[in-house]
Amino acid sequence: MTYAANVRVTRLPGGLTVATDTMATVETVSIGIWAGVGTRHETAEVNGVAHLLEHMAFKGTRRRSARDIAEEIEAVGGHLNAYTSREQTAFYAKVLADDVPLAVDIIADILQHSTFDPEELARERAVVLQEIGQAEDTPDDIIFDLFQEAAYPDQPMGWPIFGRSEIVASLPREAICAYMKRHYAPQRLVLAAAGRIDHDRLVDLAAAFDSLPQDDGPAPVPAVYHGGEHRESRELEQVHVVLGFNGIRYSDPDYYAASVYSTLLGGGMSSRLFQEVREKRGLVYSIYSFASSYTDGGLFGIYAGTGENEVAELIPVVCEVLTSVPDTMDPTEVNRARAQLKAGILMARESTGSRCEQLAQQLLVYGKPIPPEEIVARIDAVGPEDVARVARRIHASAPTLAAIGPLGRLEPLGEIEKRLR
C-alpha cells in the first residue's frame, strides 16, 4: 500500500510487515527489524532476558561466528546495532544501497538462526552484568529506572530494561530461546528501510525471514500507574531528582498537547524551568522535562541535578513553576515550543536512520505511517488552552519521586504533594 509518494507498506501473507521510505537524494540505506516486544513482555523470573537476547543475537549463528558478523558488515563499510526498550526491540544496520541484500541476510540470520552458544552466553552475560554495574554507578542514569519502578511498582512496566543482576547472572540459554519463540512471530515484526531503497526488491528479500516462530505470544500485563517514591542516600556531590506524574499514552487526544507542554516547561534554554531554576536562581546545572508515552499509558517527569543544600529550595521552586503554568500561559511561549517540536521533526527527516525508526515505530504503535505533514498540523493545532488543560490533567495525578544522593534536606513526598495542590 502506498501512503505517500515515497512511503510504501506491504503486509506479507505470513504476517511480516515490510515498509520503505524512499529518499532519492542519498546513497545509503538504514534498515532493520523492529519487534513489538520488550521488557514489559517478560515475567519476573526472567527480567532482563529481552536485553540479553539483543546482545546474544550478534554472538553467532549456524552460518556465521560473532567475528564473521562483524567482519562482513564492516567489509562493506556498514554497521550493525540494536536496542531494547520497554515495548520494542530493534536490530538494524546502515549500509550503502548496493549492500542492502547483505544487511537483510545478516539480520534474518541473527533473528532466526542464532545458536546462543553456551560459552558465548557466559561471556556476554558477564558483559551485561558490567553494563548493569556501570548504570548503577551512574546516578543520572539509574535514577530513571528508579523513577519508573516507583511509578509502576510490582509490574513489568516498572522493571529495569537491563534486568536485575541476580536474575541475569543465572539466566539459562533455554530462557532466551523460549522468550524468542514466544514473542518473535512475524505479526509482531516490521522490516523497515529508509534511503535509496526499492520497495519491491525489499519485499523479495524479505523471503529470507522464512523460519520465524509462529507463536504470537500473550498480550503484556496492562500498565497501572500508582505513583510513590524511591529515596537512596549516597555520598555524592549532587542530589539527582526526578519528580513526575501519570502521563499520556500514544493514542490519547492530548498526546501532542503534552509534547508541547513538556517543551514549554523544560525543553530548552528558553523553557520556564531552565530560566527560573538555572538562569534566575542558579540552583542546577541540568534541568529538563520529558514526556514518555506507551501504548496504554505514559509518564511525565522533570529531572534535576542539584547540591545537597540547594535541593531544599529547588523542589519548592519547581512546584511553583508547575502550578503556575496553566494560569499564566503566554501564547508566545506556546508558539516557541511548537516551533521547537516541528523543527526537531523536520530536521530528523534528513536522517535515514531517524526516518527508518519512525516508520517502524508508527506501524507498531498505530498500524500505519503518519505523514510528517499530519504531525506538524496536529502540533500547530495545539493552543494555549490545550496546554493549560493537559498541564492540569497531568498535575492532578499522584506524584512520583525518585532521588539519589545526600537527601537530608529533601522534604517528604507528602509535603511536595501539598505544594502541587
Side-chain angles (χ1 to χ4, degrees), residues 27-31 72-74 76-80 93-104 106 194 196 352:
E27 299 297 331
T28 62
V29 175
S30 292
I31 186 167
E72 283 189 39
I73 197 70
E74 292 183 1
V76 298
H79 65 259
L80 280 167
K94 185 168 185 177
V95 293
L96 295 175
D98 289 343
D99 300 312
V100 165
L102 173 65
V104 172
I106 292 176
R196 187 176 287 274
T352 61

Side-chain angles (χ1 to χ4, degrees), residues 44 60 78 105 173 183 187 220 261 266 279 309 312 350 367 417:
D105 186 64
R173 176 182 182 276
H183 294 293
Q187 293 85 352
Y261 173 49
E279 297 296 274
N309 294 324
E350 299 177 4
E417 188 164 10

Side-chain angles (χ1 to χ4, degrees), residues 98-316:
D98 289 343
D99 300 312
V100 165
L102 173 65
V104 172
D105 186 64
I106 292 176
I107 293 170
D109 196 21
I110 66 176
L111 274 180
Q112 297 174 113
H113 306 301
S114 286
T115 57
F116 305 120
D117 178 77
E119 291 186 7
E120 289 284 0
L121 175 57
R123 281 192 289 269
E124 204 59 28
R125 186 188 286 118
V127 170
V128 173
L129 289 171
Q130 291 182 50
E131 189 176 10
I132 294 171
Q134 179 176 315
E136 291 176 346
D137 286 345
T138 310
D140 56 347
D141 186 355
I142 198 67
I143 189 71
F144 293 96
D145 274 349
L146 300 178
F147 173 71
Q148 189 86 18
E149 185 175 10
Y152 294 110
D154 303 317
Q155 55 186 296
M157 188 57 89
W159 296 341
I161 291 172
F162 290 168
R164 304 187 190 282
S165 55
E166 63 272 18
I167 296 175
V168 174
S170 59
L171 273 174
R173 176 182 182 276
E174 293 72 24
I176 301 174
C177 295
Y179 181 86
M180 194 166 201
K181 183 177 180 180
R182 195 176 192 191
H183 294 293
Y184 275 74
Q187 293 85 352
R188 290 190 173 187
L189 306 181
V190 174
L191 173 62
R196 187 176 287 274
I197 186 73
D198 179 86
H199 181 81
D200 294 329
R201 177 61 174 145
L202 185 59
V203 169
D204 291 340
L205 292 171
F209 295 90
D210 59 354
S211 300
L212 293 168
Q214 295 304 307
D215 183 8
D216 188 10
V221 175
V224 180
Y225 177 88
H226 288 280
E229 66 177 331
H230 180 103
R231 295 175 182 237
E232 186 174 323
S233 293
R234 289 194 193 182
E235 292 186 8
L236 300 172
E237 292 298 319
Q238 278 199 312
V239 179
H240 299 269
V241 181
V242 177
L243 174 65
F245 309 89
N246 194 15
I248 304 296
R249 69 184 186 275
Y250 283 119
S251 59
D252 195 291
D254 279 334
Y255 173 80
Y256 290 99
S259 298
V260 173
Y261 173 49
S262 178
T263 303
L264 178 154
L265 180 68
M269 292 190 296
S270 65
S271 68
R272 289 213 180 184
L273 286 172
F274 192 93
Q275 286 295 312
E276 184 67 27
V277 177
R278 173 171 162 160
E279 297 296 274
K280 182 177 178 179
R281 302 172 185 261
L283 294 174
V284 301
Y285 172 72
S286 177
I287 187 166
Y288 57 85
S289 59
F290 59 91
S292 300
S293 294
Y294 308 114
T295 54
D296 59 351
L299 290 174
F300 187 95
I302 298 150
Y303 164 82
T306 191
E308 179 179 3
N309 294 324
E310 287 80 359
V311 72
E313 183 181 355
L314 169 69
I315 295 301

Side-chain angles (χ1 to χ4, degrees), residues 312-372:
E313 183 181 355
L314 169 69
I315 295 301
V317 171
V318 168
C319 292
E320 183 180 344
V321 172
L322 286 170
T323 55
S324 69
V325 168
D327 298 319
T328 59
M329 195 69 59
D330 181 350
T332 301
E333 59 183 339
V334 174
N335 291 339
R336 186 165 56 240
R338 289 193 310 225
Q340 286 179 258
L341 282 174
K342 290 187 292 183
I345 291 167
L346 296 176
M347 288 177 184
R349 299 287 297 166
E350 299 177 4
S351 163
T352 61
S354 294
R355 286 171 70 153
C356 178
E357 180 177 41
Q358 184 181 65
L359 178 59
Q361 291 182 345
Q362 288 173 347
L363 285 162
L364 287 175
V365 172
Y366 301 110
K368 64 179 182 179
I370 309 296

